[in-house]
mmCIF file of all heavy atoms in Angstrom:
data_model
loop_
_atom_site.group_PDB
_atom_site.id
_atom_site.type_symbol
_atom_site.label_atom_id
_atom_site.label_comp_id
_atom_site.label_asym_id
_atom_site.label_seq_id
_atom_site.Cartn_x
_atom_site.Cartn_y
_atom_site.Cartn_z
ATOM 1 N N GLY A 63 30.484 -20.846 13.632
ATOM 2 C CA GLY A 63 29.493 -20.980 12.567
ATOM 3 C C GLY A 63 28.112 -20.834 13.161
ATOM 4 O O GLY A 63 27.896 -21.096 14.329
ATOM 5 N N ALA A 64 27.169 -20.418 12.363
ATOM 6 C CA ALA A 64 25.782 -20.356 12.816
ATOM 7 C C ALA A 64 24.918 -21.002 11.769
ATOM 8 O O ALA A 64 25.211 -20.937 10.588
ATOM 9 C CB ALA A 64 25.350 -18.906 13.031
ATOM 10 N N GLY A 65 23.880 -21.652 12.203
ATOM 11 C CA GLY A 65 22.966 -22.290 11.261
ATOM 12 C C GLY A 65 21.556 -21.835 11.526
ATOM 13 O O GLY A 65 21.246 -21.348 12.600
ATOM 14 N N VAL A 66 20.725 -21.987 10.553
ATOM 15 C CA VAL A 66 19.313 -21.687 10.699
ATOM 16 C C VAL A 66 18.554 -22.938 10.332
ATOM 17 O O VAL A 66 18.743 -23.477 9.255
ATOM 18 C CB VAL A 66 18.897 -20.521 9.768
ATOM 19 C CG1 VAL A 66 17.412 -20.252 9.903
ATOM 20 C CG2 VAL A 66 19.701 -19.276 10.081
ATOM 21 N N GLY A 67 17.715 -23.420 11.221
ATOM 22 C CA GLY A 67 16.878 -24.583 10.932
ATOM 23 C C GLY A 67 15.432 -24.152 10.897
ATOM 24 O O GLY A 67 14.991 -23.389 11.742
ATOM 25 N N ALA A 68 14.682 -24.601 9.916
ATOM 26 C CA ALA A 68 13.267 -24.249 9.827
ATOM 27 C C ALA A 68 12.441 -25.505 10.019
ATOM 28 O O ALA A 68 12.762 -26.549 9.480
ATOM 29 C CB ALA A 68 12.963 -23.624 8.463
ATOM 30 N N GLU A 69 11.390 -25.383 10.781
ATOM 31 C CA GLU A 69 10.501 -26.506 11.041
ATOM 32 C C GLU A 69 9.084 -26.079 10.733
ATOM 33 O O GLU A 69 8.688 -24.981 11.061
ATOM 34 C CB GLU A 69 10.607 -26.910 12.514
ATOM 35 C CG GLU A 69 9.572 -27.899 12.919
ATOM 36 C CD GLU A 69 10.176 -29.090 13.590
ATOM 37 O OE1 GLU A 69 11.389 -29.180 13.695
ATOM 38 O OE2 GLU A 69 9.393 -29.925 14.007
ATOM 39 N N ALA A 70 8.336 -26.936 10.097
ATOM 40 C CA ALA A 70 6.972 -26.566 9.749
ATOM 41 C C ALA A 70 6.062 -27.760 9.850
ATOM 42 O O ALA A 70 6.509 -28.900 9.867
ATOM 43 C CB ALA A 70 6.926 -26.019 8.327
ATOM 44 N N GLY A 71 4.778 -27.492 9.891
ATOM 45 C CA GLY A 71 3.782 -28.549 9.922
ATOM 46 C C GLY A 71 2.708 -28.288 8.898
ATOM 47 O O GLY A 71 2.538 -27.172 8.453
ATOM 48 N N ALA A 72 1.970 -29.310 8.550
ATOM 49 C CA ALA A 72 0.909 -29.169 7.563
ATOM 50 C C ALA A 72 -0.459 -29.422 8.160
ATOM 51 O O ALA A 72 -1.407 -29.651 7.452
ATOM 52 C CB ALA A 72 1.170 -30.131 6.405
ATOM 53 N N GLY A 73 -0.588 -29.414 9.461
ATOM 54 C CA GLY A 73 -1.883 -29.624 10.101
ATOM 55 C C GLY A 73 -2.629 -28.314 10.266
ATOM 56 O O GLY A 73 -2.184 -27.266 9.844
ATOM 57 N N ALA A 74 -3.788 -28.389 10.882
ATOM 58 C CA ALA A 74 -4.576 -27.191 11.128
ATOM 59 C C ALA A 74 -3.794 -26.254 12.038
ATOM 60 O O ALA A 74 -3.195 -26.680 13.009
ATOM 61 C CB ALA A 74 -5.897 -27.571 11.775
ATOM 62 N N GLY A 75 -3.769 -24.990 11.712
ATOM 63 C CA GLY A 75 -3.050 -24.011 12.511
ATOM 64 C C GLY A 75 -1.546 -24.148 12.373
ATOM 65 O O GLY A 75 -0.801 -23.696 13.218
ATOM 66 N N ALA A 76 -1.094 -24.788 11.308
ATOM 67 C CA ALA A 76 0.334 -25.026 11.140
ATOM 68 C C ALA A 76 1.059 -23.736 10.801
ATOM 69 O O ALA A 76 0.484 -22.796 10.296
ATOM 70 C CB ALA A 76 0.570 -26.054 10.040
ATOM 71 N N GLY A 77 2.321 -23.716 11.062
ATOM 72 C CA GLY A 77 3.166 -22.588 10.736
ATOM 73 C C GLY A 77 4.587 -23.063 10.637
ATOM 74 O O GLY A 77 4.836 -24.212 10.315
ATOM 75 N N ALA A 78 5.514 -22.202 10.916
ATOM 76 C CA ALA A 78 6.913 -22.560 10.830
ATOM 77 C C ALA A 78 7.688 -21.832 11.911
ATOM 78 O O ALA A 78 7.315 -20.746 12.328
ATOM 79 C CB ALA A 78 7.470 -22.203 9.455
ATOM 80 N N VAL A 79 8.746 -22.460 12.363
ATOM 81 C CA VAL A 79 9.654 -21.865 13.331
ATOM 82 C C VAL A 79 11.057 -21.985 12.752
ATOM 83 O O VAL A 79 11.450 -23.047 12.296
ATOM 84 C CB VAL A 79 9.601 -22.604 14.692
ATOM 85 C CG1 VAL A 79 10.632 -22.031 15.650
ATOM 86 C CG2 VAL A 79 8.211 -22.538 15.293
ATOM 87 N N ALA A 80 11.795 -20.903 12.724
ATOM 88 C CA ALA A 80 13.188 -20.943 12.317
ATOM 89 C C ALA A 80 14.031 -20.655 13.546
ATOM 90 O O ALA A 80 13.721 -19.759 14.331
ATOM 91 C CB ALA A 80 13.476 -19.914 11.227
ATOM 92 N N VAL A 81 15.071 -21.452 13.745
ATOM 93 C CA VAL A 81 15.934 -21.327 14.915
ATOM 94 C C VAL A 81 17.369 -21.193 14.445
ATOM 95 O O VAL A 81 17.813 -21.948 13.591
ATOM 96 C CB VAL A 81 15.795 -22.560 15.836
ATOM 97 C CG1 VAL A 81 16.713 -22.444 17.040
ATOM 98 C CG2 VAL A 81 14.349 -22.755 16.284
ATOM 99 N N ALA A 82 18.105 -20.242 15.002
ATOM 100 C CA ALA A 82 19.519 -20.070 14.679
ATOM 101 C C ALA A 82 20.343 -20.491 15.880
ATOM 102 O O ALA A 82 19.988 -20.191 17.019
ATOM 103 C CB ALA A 82 19.824 -18.620 14.322
ATOM 104 N N GLY A 83 21.442 -21.180 15.609
ATOM 105 C CA GLY A 83 22.305 -21.617 16.690
ATOM 106 C C GLY A 83 23.761 -21.495 16.324
ATOM 107 O O GLY A 83 24.110 -21.281 15.169
ATOM 108 N N THR A 84 24.611 -21.623 17.326
ATOM 109 C CA THR A 84 26.048 -21.577 17.103
ATOM 110 C C THR A 84 26.656 -22.906 17.503
ATOM 111 O O THR A 84 26.127 -23.611 18.360
ATOM 112 C CB THR A 84 26.716 -20.466 17.933
ATOM 113 O OG1 THR A 84 26.471 -20.727 19.311
ATOM 114 C CG2 THR A 84 26.184 -19.107 17.546
ATOM 115 N N GLY A 85 27.768 -23.222 16.896
ATOM 116 C CA GLY A 85 28.491 -24.430 17.255
ATOM 117 C C GLY A 85 27.745 -25.694 16.893
ATOM 118 O O GLY A 85 26.806 -25.682 16.134
#
Side-chain angles (χ1 to χ4, degrees):
V66 178
E69 171 128 357
V79 176
V81 179
T84 60

